[in-house]
Amino acid sequence: MNSVLPGAPWLIAHRSMLGINQPYKLTLNHQDYVLWQTTKGKIKALSNVCPHQQAPLSNGWICPDHDVIVCPFHTLTFNDQGQLCRDGKPEGRPLVNSLELIVKDDFIWTYGGHEPRLPIPELHQQLVSDYEFVGVAVSRAIQGDFLSNVLINYDYNHQNGTHRDVLRIKDNYVSLFEQDGYQATVIQGLNRTDNSWQELVGNPALLLLPKKYEIHLDYEFPSTTVVRTSLPTGNLIQMHLLYPESFDVTRTIVLVFAQFKYSFLKAFSSAILKGVALVVEQDAAAIEMSYPRQIPKIRLPNEEILAYAERLYRDW
Ligand code: FES
Ligand SMILES: [Fe+2]
């Protein structure tokens, strides 16, 4: 199987993305899968290809009485082991491959059928245990290889260009960069100029963002960048997740968690999700408009952090 970073743990979905008894289609390393969550909260995953005449199972539906998925073409049913079922009773050996999942609280991980090369990170649970889940800001397929998508998260010089009309960053600095194998921590300070009234009205989440602030980034290569921001109004976590759909397409999912100092700030939840989505959209546009990667002829400050991430990718 030709895969990007085989053996990496991929965080493919948050439980809130699945609904109950609703097929959810997912592409990981060129393979399509269907996931569903049962009424009891169990999460199941199969290859998406019906073994009869190759219809996509994700276009079918779940029969909750027997916890089976029904193919939309000729209504054959399959259990989570991939066995054909009649009236809920399995017949014979599995005909559809199942996908092994590791579900930790609301985080759904998989190795995509590969031998694990890294453990499932602990960071995610640790970070969110004291936080409230705000929502999924974005789940978007980006036309771009995995390396380009991962590197933008380690790039400390793109704010003033890529995000200029949202964040209005005047200058920024990196005060800490520590790395330990596949994990790294960065602290970055940012100074902004004022947003216009039109920008604030269009993106009210900017009202929460001071002129001067620090972000604390925790990296778990290759799947995760966690951005922690302490604001006068509370603390915010953005969990930026990546996984390869194919060699040219990368999925990004951003989950947002918060500790609001005052409960009325919850009214900002949808504005925060929209504001985060806008920034991700700008990153996606930067990746999608760029020409194929070449060896850079110019170096900017802090690019050793980029080089660190690129080395992890190339030495995998
Ligand atoms: S293609 Fe699935 S039942 Fe026929
Ligand atoms: Fe960015």
Side-chain angles (χ1 to χ4, degrees):
M1 197 184 341
N2 257 343
S3 293
V4 177
L5 304 177
W10 300 113
L11 207 176
I12 48 171
H14 183 264
R15 189 185 287 277
S16 67
M17 296 163 73
L18 299 185
I20 302 285
N21 292 321
Q22 282 166 20
Y24 176 89
K25 185 183 167 201
L26 164 90
T27 305
L28 174 63
N29 269 324
H30 312 275
Q31 306 289 323
D32 285 355
Y33 300 97
V34 58
L35 267 64
W36 73 97
Q37 178 174 209
T38 68
T39 320
K40 289 186 180 147
K42 287 245 154 54
I43 297 168
K44 325 262 181 163
L46 288 178
S47 160
N48 200 29
V49 186
C50 178
H52 175 224
Q53 287 186 19
Q54 292 69 54
L57 294 174
S58 57
N59 284 14
W61 59 95
I62 306 300
C63 171
D65 293 344
H66 300 121
D67 276 344
V68 290
I69 189 161
V70 187
C71 178
F73 204 168
H74 311 96
T75 69
L76 291 177
T77 65
F78 302 92
N79 66 9
D80 63 331
Q81 305 300 308
Q83 292 166 290
L84 184 66
C85 294
R86 280 186 221 275
D87 299 325
K89 300 227 166 20
E91 293 182 349
R93 63 185 179 85
L95 302 175
V96 189
N97 289 333
S98 49
L99 175 69
E100 196 180 331
L101 303 177
I102 300 115
V103 181
K104 293 202 163 189
D105 294 330
D106 293 336
F107 300 114
I108 304 159
W109 295 87
T110 184
Y111 288 96
H114 288 279
E115 207 46 49
R117 296 224 356 221
L118 292 177
I120 305 286
E122 298 290 328
L123 173 74
H124 303 70
Q125 267 80 16
Q126 284 166 8
L127 279 182
V128 302
S129 52
D130 299 331
Y131 280 71
E132 183 174 332
F133 179 57
V134 178
V136 181
V138 63
S139 171
R140 185 197 197 279
I142 297 175
Q143 301 299 316
D145 58 23
F146 188 81
L147 182 61
S148 304
N149 276 276
V150 84
L151 286 188
I152 202 163
N153 291 338
Y154 292 78
D155 182 330
Y156 291 94
N157 299 298
H158 76 284
Q159 287 87 346
N160 316 14
T162 307
H163 304 303
R164 68 190 173 286
D165 59 350
V166 176
L167 299 177
R168 297 279 174 221
I169 306 293
K170 221 172 24 180
D171 50 72
N172 61 302
Y173 57 90
V174 171
S175 59
L176 177 100
F177 168 45
E178 282 174 358
Q179 44 152 314
D180 179 13
Y182 292 94
Q183 295 163 338
T185 299
V186 166
I187 294 178
Q188 186 193 18
L190 301 127
N191 293 312
R192 305 177 343 102
T193 55
D194 287 327
N195 286 103
S196 67
W197 276 108
Q198 290 91 325
E199 284 166 354
L200 293 173
V201 170
N203 188 356
L206 291 169
L207 291 166
L208 304 178
L209 208 56
K211 297 272 283 289
K212 198 176 163 61
Y213 65 108
E214 263 190 359
I215 57 177
H216 182 123
L217 295 112
D218 290 297
Y219 294 97
E220 285 279 359
F221 184 91
S223 67
T224 306
T225 304
V226 172
V227 185
R228 274 190 277 173
T229 317
S230 300
L231 301 169
T233 45
N235 300 319
L236 208 64
I237 289 181
Q238 298 172 50
M239 211 173 264
H240 290 248
L241 309 165
L242 293 174
Y243 65 82
E245 291 197 348
S246 67
F247 287 123
D248 316 314
V249 181
T250 305
R251 168 76 47 173
T252 186
I253 298 171
V254 183
L255 310 176
V256 178
F257 301 82
Q259 283 170 333
F260 293 112
K261 283 211 178 122
Y262 314 100
S263 54
F264 74 88
L265 289 166
K266 287 185 190 167
F268 276 89
S269 294
S270 65
I272 293 171
L273 294 178
K274 254 177 76 182
V276 170
L278 183 59
V279 170
V280 174
E281 208 45 52
Q282 293 179 327
D283 284 331
I287 292 165
E288 290 182 341
M289 75 180 167
S290 291
Y291 292 101
R293 189 165 282 283
Q294 294 180 9
I295 296 174
K297 295 182 178 145
I298 304 151
R299 270 194 82 119
L300 290 175
N302 301 313
E303 286 192 341
E304 68 278 11
I305 310 175
L306 274 177
Y308 151 78
E310 185 160 358
R311 208 164 43 241
L312 293 181
Y313 179 86
R314 300 217 183 270
D315 295 347
W316 183 259

